[in-house]
Amino acid sequence: MDGASTIEEVEAVETPTVISNPVANVVLTPEELIAKSIAPVKKEFLRPPQHTRPCPNVKGEDGVSSETNESDGYHSKYSKNTKSKRQLKRERQEEKKTGICPKVAKTGCVSSCTYGTDCRFSHDVDAYKAQKPVDLEGNCPFLSLEGPCPYGLACRYSGTHKDENAMEIVGMGNERYETNELKKAVQKLLWKNVMTFPKADAQLKALGILDNYKLKKGKAKGEGGEVEKVEVEGEVEMVEADQGIVNGSSTAFENDSGENGASTNKTECTEEVKLEEGNVKISLSTDGPRPIKMAKHSNGEPCSDDMDNGTGSMKNDLEMRTEVEASQTDDISSEADACLKLHPREKKLIDFSGKLYLAPLTTVGNLPFRRVCKNLGADITCGEMAMCTNLLQGQASEWALLRRHSSEDLFGVQICGSFPDTIARTVELIDRECTVDFIDINMGCPIDLVVDKGAGSCLLTKPVRMKGIIKAASATVDTPITVKVRTAYFEGKNRIDSLISDIGSWGATALTIHGRSRQQRYSKLADWDYIYQCARKAPDSLQVLGNGDIFSYVDWNKHLSDCPKISACMIARGSLIKPWLFTEIKEQRHWDISSSERLGIYKDYVRCGLQHWGSDTKGVETTRYFLLEWLSYLYRYIPVGLLDVVPSKLNWRSPSFYGRDDLETLMASESAADWIRISEMLLGKVPAGFHFAPKHKSNAYDKAENG
């Protein structure tokens, strides 16, 4: 072991620590506490344990509390008094009537709205100012950027705008600091199911993946013909052979006149089948059933609903047809240049060696959080896991997970799907519409909702499908494809070591191994010995990254020194509890960060959140929600100066303790009411009737203070 990777051991202080107990005081040494996975906090900082319910009842807006399942600690997603979708829709419509038109708010001029009296928002500026909440303390988050504030009068910091007249100049200094935005034209093509995927379809056909599906006899009547039913892993779907596969659906390519051409079903019959647009919906290998009615979004069109009627509909259809024809022309040229396709060894490769990799984290790992981690030393960032089916359907909320900030110089996206065709088309779409450095395929997600659809950890039980997914994705695009897995599906039945050499030959550039099984979820410690075993068996062309329980620079050094075959370590929950972990690793020190320094990090997050979600009332409350979700992890941090033994471990349970000042004590509270108080320090008072229940740790709040 060289000097650079030497682990600095901190000797434990022999002073015994007293842990208060409702029945009796039990005196345990630091070693005994660590053996019980209890953090050895210095006795002078200990406080009596707070008597809180693990799973409280949360009162709804009508004052009636909704029960939670206390037996398994799971906070039910559904409560007895939740509002119906119809009621929520009516409330949203009422909010739009009272809300100011975004264009009027931006310019301050009523005539700036092109929809006039047909606009669904209010144009009464004086009435809006009369009912607008009081401005928040601080400066507008867009003052540091070029150009006027995009929210104008609706901004909760409008009093700090330098020049209101400047807001009338639309587009001045409109520099984009975020990329990978879903274009409206692309979204319409996905909605109408006319997007083509020539590269993916060509690779799927070349690999013969579609031919491996079992055909089940049975026919469904179409417009002027018949199509066959195909059973894919228990799901019955419609497919028609030798047709252009469009957006996860099997439909015929359009000819120059805009009509669908005929095709021959060679699998079972030789009849010509002609399908007209809108008459038959035929889906192929999607992760879930397509919705009967696609929801309309107003992304980019804030002042009026997207109406497809009259001349507007004809114009939109004409534009869409033109784009489809243009894409088909590109398809022909791409097929002609197939011989020029890069060899897998000639693809752009990413060197993960020694880089600090921020893991894709659901809900909390949003763009503002990644910006904060970049400022604190993270080298590689990855977007939240996005479902392939939702991306192919053009869902704006799912595409928002692919957003990239200009500060993310090495950025990837993570996708999750069940079948090779779905993932191959998704990676082609992302490669075409987004700017990313790599695409990560999730094969380790343990969530039941994902696993039940055959994605995530479920793929660990289906190596043949894993092979099809990786080969199809890597052959479709030149962007590096990485894979994230767990050790196995069932505890004690590890299998990645037997697949790792094949994963490299299938086309993956890097493999991240989370040292837990799906059955284990996040319990127990990660099995790094097994990660080392897999890394030693990996081919030289495949980079192996480890993941699990990294909480200090000591952990980082140990894993890289114990197994030099590991290129880097992915940091997940450790970054949620202390995002300055990246700074600690780079500077090789234990940072005894003060409460004021921690508050400064929260302020940076709020500023980034307001720039991302908006500085109007909706954006402020969205920022508050995600800040509270993050605080449900941040409170678990134990300051270095309060510990008898350093460094701390991720699995240590913290006793109740006092901080070195009031703010540090407040930050250590496990009550959501105290988290709300912290948010009010940064974003002002919460709205009337506000309640918060953490999504990932629903038992970390108490009824008495939050209900």
Side-chain angles (χ1 to χ4, degrees):
M1 183 181 299
D2 55 27
S5 60
T6 301
I7 301 176
E8 297 181 6
E9 297 292 343
V10 180
E11 295 184 358
V13 180
E14 296 301 330
T15 304
T17 301
V18 179
I19 300 296
S20 298
N21 188 282
V23 179
N25 289 332
V26 180
V27 180
L28 299 176
T29 63
E31 292 80 5
E32 292 174 333
L33 291 172
I34 293 175
K36 294 178 178 291
S37 297
I38 299 176
V41 177
K42 295 178 180 179
K43 63 178 182 180
E44 58 266 29
F45 295 106
L46 290 174
R47 66 187 298 184
Q50 303 299 304
H51 299 283
T52 58
R53 291 168 57 91
C55 287
N57 301 331
V58 180
K59 291 183 180 179
E61 295 184 1
D62 54 0
V64 182
S65 61
S66 58
E67 296 293 332
T68 58
N69 189 349
E70 297 184 6
S71 60
D72 58 0
Y74 176 74
H75 182 71
S76 177
K77 180 181 177 182
Y78 307 98
S79 60
K80 299 178 182 178
N81 299 284
T82 54
K83 298 179 182 179
S84 64
K85 292 184 179 180
R86 183 175 299 177
Q87 184 177 0
L88 293 173
K89 183 178 180 180
R90 285 198 299 265
E91 291 180 358
R92 287 195 298 267
Q93 291 175 346
E94 291 297 327
E95 290 177 1
K96 291 175 181 178
K97 292 179 181 178
T98 57
I100 189 70
C101 172
K103 290 186 178 180
V104 174
K106 185 175 182 179
T107 61
C109 179
V110 177
S111 60
S112 61
C113 178
T114 57
Y115 296 98
T117 56
D118 295 332
C119 180
R120 59 183 177 177
F121 294 98
S122 171
H123 288 179
D124 192 341
V125 176
D126 295 332
Y128 175 76
K129 289 182 177 180
Q131 59 87 33
K132 180 187 175 184
V134 180
D135 281 357
L136 301 176
E137 296 182 1
N139 296 324
C140 176
F142 295 96
L143 288 181
S144 59
L145 307 181
E146 297 182 6
C149 173
Y151 294 90
L153 297 175
C155 178
R156 294 295 302 275
Y157 304 88
S158 58
T160 62
H161 291 169
K162 295 180 180 179
D163 185 7
E164 294 186 359
N165 295 328
M167 291 188 296
E168 298 180 2
I169 306 176
V170 181
M172 177 181 178
N174 189 22
E175 181 180 351
R176 296 297 301 174
Y177 286 81
E178 295 181 12
T179 58
N180 298 348
E181 184 177 359
L182 176 61
K183 300 176 183 177
K184 194 65 178 180
V186 175
Q187 187 179 42
K188 289 181 178 179
L189 291 173
L190 294 173
W191 282 351
K192 291 183 177 290
N193 204 21
V194 293
M195 179 71 76
T196 58
F197 303 94
K199 294 181 180 179
D201 296 337
Q203 293 301 328
L204 291 170
K205 186 175 181 180
L207 295 173
I209 293 178
L210 293 178
D211 298 335
N212 294 333
Y213 295 150
K214 299 177 182 180
L215 296 179
K216 182 179 179 179
K217 293 184 178 181
K219 299 179 180 180
K221 292 292 182 179
E223 185 72 19
E226 297 176 344
V227 293
E228 274 190 299
K229 288 183 179 179
V230 177
E231 184 176 2
V232 184
E233 299 294 338
E235 295 182 8
V236 179
E237 308 200 6
M238 302 297 184
V239 67
E240 190 166 13
D242 292 344
Q243 285 199 114
I245 309 295
V246 183
N247 191 22
S249 299
S250 178
T251 54
F253 283 125
E254 292 182 348
N255 54 29
D256 295 338
S257 63
E259 298 177 355
N260 292 335
S263 63
T264 305
N265 189 339
K266 297 182 180 180
T267 307
E268 184 169 331
C269 62
T270 56
E271 293 178 311
E272 288 189 349
V273 181
K274 184 175 182 180
L275 305 177
E276 295 183 1
E277 182 180 359
N279 290 336
V280 180
K281 296 288 184 181
I282 310 173
S283 62
L284 173 63
S285 301
T286 56
D287 293 346
R290 293 182 66 90
I292 298 176
K293 182 178 180 181
M294 301 298 295
K296 293 184 179 179
H297 300 274
S298 57
N299 185 19
E301 303 284 346
C303 291
S304 178
D305 288 324
D306 199 11
M307 305 295 291
D308 273 346
N309 51 24
T311 58
S313 176
M314 295 174 60
K315 182 179 179 180
N316 292 337
D317 289 344
L318 181 61
E319 292 176 353
M320 292 176 60
R321 290 175 185 273
T322 304
E323 292 189 29
V324 173
E325 292 173 0
S327 64
Q328 291 176 359
T329 304
D330 295 337
D331 300 344
I332 297 174
S333 60
S334 63
E335 291 178 0
D337 296 337
C339 59
L340 302 178
K341 184 175 179 64
L342 292 176
H343 189 273
R345 294 182 180 178
E346 298 176 321
K347 288 185 177 182
K348 174 187 175 183
L349 299 179
I350 297 178
D351 185 11
F352 291 93
S353 300
K355 291 185 172 62
L356 302 182
Y357 188 170
L358 173 62
L361 302 164
T362 304
T363 303
V364 191
N366 43 60
L367 185 144
F369 173 77
R370 299 197 304 269
R371 288 184 61 184
V372 170
C373 291
K374 281 293 295 182
N375 294 334
L376 292 171
D379 297 318
I380 305 174
T381 55
C382 187
E384 301 174 64
M385 183 184 73
M387 299 302 296
C388 292
T389 303
N390 297 339
L391 294 174
L392 293 175
Q393 291 176 353
Q395 292 187 13
S397 59
E398 205 75 13
W399 275 84
L401 304 179
L402 309 182
R403 289 284 193 91
R404 175 182 188 173
H405 191 262
S406 57
S407 63
E408 298 180 275
D409 49 356
L410 192 52
F411 173 76
V413 296
Q414 187 181 73
I415 59 175
C416 184
S418 305
F419 301 104
D421 59 334
T422 307
I423 292 182
R425 291 170 190 137
T426 303
V427 297
E428 180 180 354
L429 183 62
I430 292 175
D431 186 66
R432 185 192 308 164
E433 303 295 335
C434 301
T435 303
V436 297
D437 297 301
F438 63 93
I439 299 175
D440 187 67
I441 302 176
N442 187 306
M443 296 185 180
C445 180
I447 300 175
D448 294 338
L449 185 64
V450 175
V451 173
D452 292 344
K453 292 186 177 181
S457 297
C458 182
L459 293 172
L460 298 176
T461 64
K462 302 177 180 180
V464 175
R465 189 179 295 182
M466 286 180 63
K467 174 182 177 181
I469 288 175
I470 298 174
K471 294 190 71 172
S474 61
T476 300
V477 296
D478 296 331
T479 304
I481 299 296
T482 64
V483 181
K484 188 171 187 292
V485 298
R486 286 185 171 236
T487 58
Y489 189 90
F490 296 105
E491 183 69 16
K493 296 184 178 180
N494 297 337
R495 66 180 314 170
I496 297 302
D497 58 322
S498 61
L499 296 174
I500 193 164
S501 59
D502 294 328
I503 291 176
S505 63
W506 293 339
T509 301
L511 175 69
T512 302
I513 305 174
H514 185 178
R516 294 181 175 91
S517 64
R518 189 262 173 177
Q519 189 176 16
Q520 188 179 350
R521 295 292 181 101
Y522 296 95
S523 62
K524 301 180 183 179
L525 294 176
D527 187 357
W528 277 91
D529 290 334
Y530 182 71
I531 297 177
Y532 301 157
Q533 177 185 345
C534 295
R536 296 185 182 101
K537 291 184 177 181
D540 295 335
S541 60
L542 181 66
Q543 301 179 76
V544 178
L545 292 80
N547 174 220
D549 302 335
I550 296 177
F551 204 48
S552 68
Y553 79 90
V554 175
D555 298 330
W556 172 275
N557 292 346
K558 181 180 185 303
H559 297 319
L560 293 185
S561 61
D562 287 353
C563 184
K565 286 280 290 183
I566 293 181
S567 299
C569 299
M570 179 182 284
I571 302 174
R573 285 184 297 166
S575 64
L576 295 177
I577 299 173
K578 58 172 189 179
W580 50 92
L581 173 59
F582 300 103
T583 304
E584 291 186 349
I585 295 175
K586 286 200 169 181
E587 298 181 359
Q588 293 289 291
R589 67 185 177 100
H590 300 298
W591 185 2
D592 189 9
I593 187 171
S594 65
S595 59
S596 59
E597 289 174 319
R598 292 167 65 184
L599 187 63
I601 294 176
Y602 302 169
K603 289 180 179 178
D604 289 341
Y605 177 82
V606 168
R607 176 181 54 84
C608 297
L610 293 175
Q611 291 177 359
H612 179 64
W613 290 299
S615 58
D616 58 347
T617 300
K618 182 179 179 181
V620 168
E621 294 310 314
T622 303
T623 303
R624 187 193 307 275
Y625 167 76
F626 285 105
L627 173 64
L628 291 172
E629 287 286 357
W630 189 21
L631 287 171
S632 69
Y633 288 95
L634 287 167
Y635 88 94
R636 295 173 53 188
Y637 172 70
I638 307 173
V640 173
L642 274 61
L643 290 170
D644 274 332
V645 178
V646 178
S648 59
K649 298 296 183 181
L650 191 60
N651 65 320
W652 284 1
R653 300 189 305 276
S654 171
S656 297
F657 63 88
Y658 294 103
R660 290 165 291 189
D661 53 52
D662 292 339
L663 181 57
E664 194 169 70
T665 303
L666 181 65
M667 290 178 172
S669 173
E670 63 180 13
S671 171
D674 290 328
W675 307 339
I676 292 174
R677 294 190 188 102
I678 295 175
S679 75
E680 290 179 334
M681 296 168 59
L682 304 171
L683 293 167
K685 291 291 183 180
V686 298
F690 179 85
H691 296 281
F692 172 72
K695 179 178 179 182
H696 292 283
K697 191 170 179 58
S698 57
N699 60 341
Y701 58 95
D702 60 339
K703 176 183 179 182
E705 298 186 28
N706 193 41

